[in-house]
Amino acid sequence: MARRAGVSPMTVSNVVNGHPHVRPATRQRVLEAIAALDYHVNTTARSLRQGRTGVIGLAVPNLDHPYFGLLARLLVERAAAEGYDVVVEQTGARREGELGAITRSRLRSYDGVVLHASELANADAELLRGEYPIVVMGERAYDEPVDHVLMGNEEGARLATRHLIERGCRRIAIIGGRLGSPDDIDVSTLRTRGYLRALDEAGIARDDRLVRVAVLGFEGGRSGVHALLDEVGPVDGIVGATDQVAVGVLRGLRERAVSVPDEVRVVGFDDIPVAAFTVPSLTTIEPDHDGMADAVVRLLLERISGERRADDYREIVSGVWLVERESTAGVVRIALA
């Protein structure tokens, strides 16, 4: 192939292994030579030689969720730049699905797995440790240290609520939130903690009726705001626990002829692509998606290569920003202090 393409064997290897630093014209010549000679990589032989498959698993709760689609794209790009392929599977946000993803990754000899854990609890921490490389995403807390990358959920919700307060809101609800015990930790409880902190800091009395449990999706937001208005009455600010919830809130408010942002201001969380295209466009909390993807791949490759000691586990919390759009009025980006 090198002779046919007029390049060195190393260049062919770089193209075959997906290394990015090859000129497009050179890459095209090599790909044409591969096609003409009907070359196929013997992955089994390469795996035996290297002791690795060059494949990592990515297990997420739902593939049709915009946030997980964004996450998968970023991780696939980062992994490809390091010469790895990614196999993505769906766990259904079920404990057995998450345990099965770990088991299948081992049986298929993947070099490691990235698991977005929704249901694996503190008692399962030992399954996430050991020789097999696993990096956990998601908001579950573990007493035993694991390689863990997570969002700044509490700080982000605090920033969202503080923004509404600064815009003059005093009766602020959170839809998709949940009051929980100190040991009950997930996305909803963490973001509720941030919401409550902001109220406390502003001297605004808490009202547990304004913390509304809802399914974290479009319909959860729509039906949740209807229930809020029916059962509690008017509010002037709403934090959606996710952008999908917040988009559903916008729809529900329109169905009730409530104007956003004139009567109610709305903030979401995640900055999924659709947030910029709703009417009005959605103010939201933007996690450092790129930084999270970089951290996940770095932690996993350090495990795969043996660069870190077996007992050296890391937890990385991403930064968050407020992206202000029409649902609270204005177009400015404010970094969290």
Side-chain angles (χ1 to χ4, degrees):
M1 283 192 298
R3 286 196 301 270
R4 187 180 185 99
V7 299
S8 69
M10 179 58 71
T11 298
V12 173
S13 177
N14 287 340
V15 172
V16 168
N17 289 294
H19 294 302
H21 304 300
V22 179
R23 289 186 300 174
T26 302
R27 185 184 302 276
Q28 184 61 35
R29 290 206 310 275
V30 173
L31 292 175
E32 289 172 356
I34 288 173
L37 297 173
D38 195 26
Y39 170 75
H40 299 279
V41 177
N42 187 332
T43 55
T44 301
R46 183 169 67 178
S47 298
L48 289 171
R49 184 176 68 254
Q50 297 178 345
R52 300 173 189 163
T53 61
V55 177
I56 59 178
L58 170 61
V60 297
N62 296 291
L63 293 173
D64 61 352
H65 191 293
Y67 168 70
F68 295 120
L70 171 63
L71 174 66
R73 176 181 64 79
L74 292 173
L75 290 176
V76 167
E77 290 174 355
R78 280 6 180 233
E82 299 292 340
Y84 282 84
D85 294 322
V86 177
V87 175
V88 184
E89 67 173 290
Q90 179 173 272
T91 66
R94 295 176 294 108
R95 183 174 184 276
E96 57 268 31
E98 293 170 0
L99 292 173
I102 296 173
T103 300
R104 284 188 292 275
S105 294
R106 290 176 178 271
L107 292 175
R108 294 168 180 168
S109 299
Y110 296 166
D111 293 335
V113 63
V114 178
L115 172 67
H116 197 289
S118 297
E119 294 300 322
L120 290 188
N122 185 46
D124 299 307
E126 198 59 36
L127 300 173
L128 306 173
R129 296 161 50 84
E131 293 183 2
Y132 186 66
I134 300 176
V135 174
V136 184
M137 301 187 74
E139 318 318 319
R140 291 288 182 179
Y142 304 97
D143 289 340
E144 292 288 328
V146 299
D147 284 331
H148 195 182
V149 177
L150 59 159
M151 289 186 189
N153 288 286
E154 185 171 338
E155 290 303 307
R158 171 177 167 264
L159 179 59
T161 309
R162 191 173 74 188
H163 173 67
L164 291 174
I165 294 168
E166 290 169 350
R167 291 295 180 270
C169 301
R170 291 298 179 268
R171 188 164 173 76
I172 303 169
I174 180 169
I175 297 182
R178 186 167 65 86
L179 297 168
S181 68
D183 297 327
D184 184 10
I185 297 174
D186 62 13
V187 168
S188 293
T189 58
L190 286 172
R191 294 181 183 178
T192 301
R193 288 181 189 179
Y195 156 83
L196 294 173
R197 274 182 58 200
L199 296 182
D200 292 344
E201 290 166 357
I204 297 175
R206 297 184 180 190
D207 182 347
D208 289 352
R209 298 177 304 162
L210 298 177
V211 179
R212 311 295 297 187
V213 176
V215 175
L216 301 183
F218 298 122
E219 177 55 32
R222 190 193 73 83
S223 59
V225 76
H226 280 295
L228 170 70
L229 298 178
D230 289 340
E231 298 169 17
V232 182
V235 296
D236 55 10
I238 295 176
V239 176
T242 69
D243 279 352
Q244 283 192 294
V245 169
V247 171
V249 166
L250 293 178
R251 179 64 190 178
L253 290 172
R254 183 173 179 81
E255 292 170 351
R256 299 292 286 257
V258 176
S259 175
V260 179
D262 296 333
E263 297 175 79
V264 179
R265 290 181 166 88
V266 179
V267 183
F269 199 122
D270 288 333
D271 198 27
I272 60 176
V274 72
F277 294 93
T278 57
V279 179
S281 57
L282 181 64
T283 294
T284 185
I285 298 299
E286 177 192 353
D288 183 6
H289 297 299
D290 289 318
M292 291 174 68
D294 290 338
V296 166
V297 172
R298 182 175 70 252
L299 290 181
L300 192 65
L301 295 187
E302 286 174 354
R303 282 279 174 223
I304 292 171
S305 67
E307 184 177 333
R308 275 188 287 134
R309 299 191 319 271
D311 61 350
D312 182 8
Y313 293 94
R314 308 282 175 85
E315 180 176 270
I316 298 174
V317 181
S318 79
V320 289
W321 296 269
L322 177 78
V323 180
E324 186 178 347
R325 298 192 179 103
E326 294 166 348
S327 67
T328 60
V331 185
V332 66
R333 178 169 167 161
I334 306 169
L336 178 64

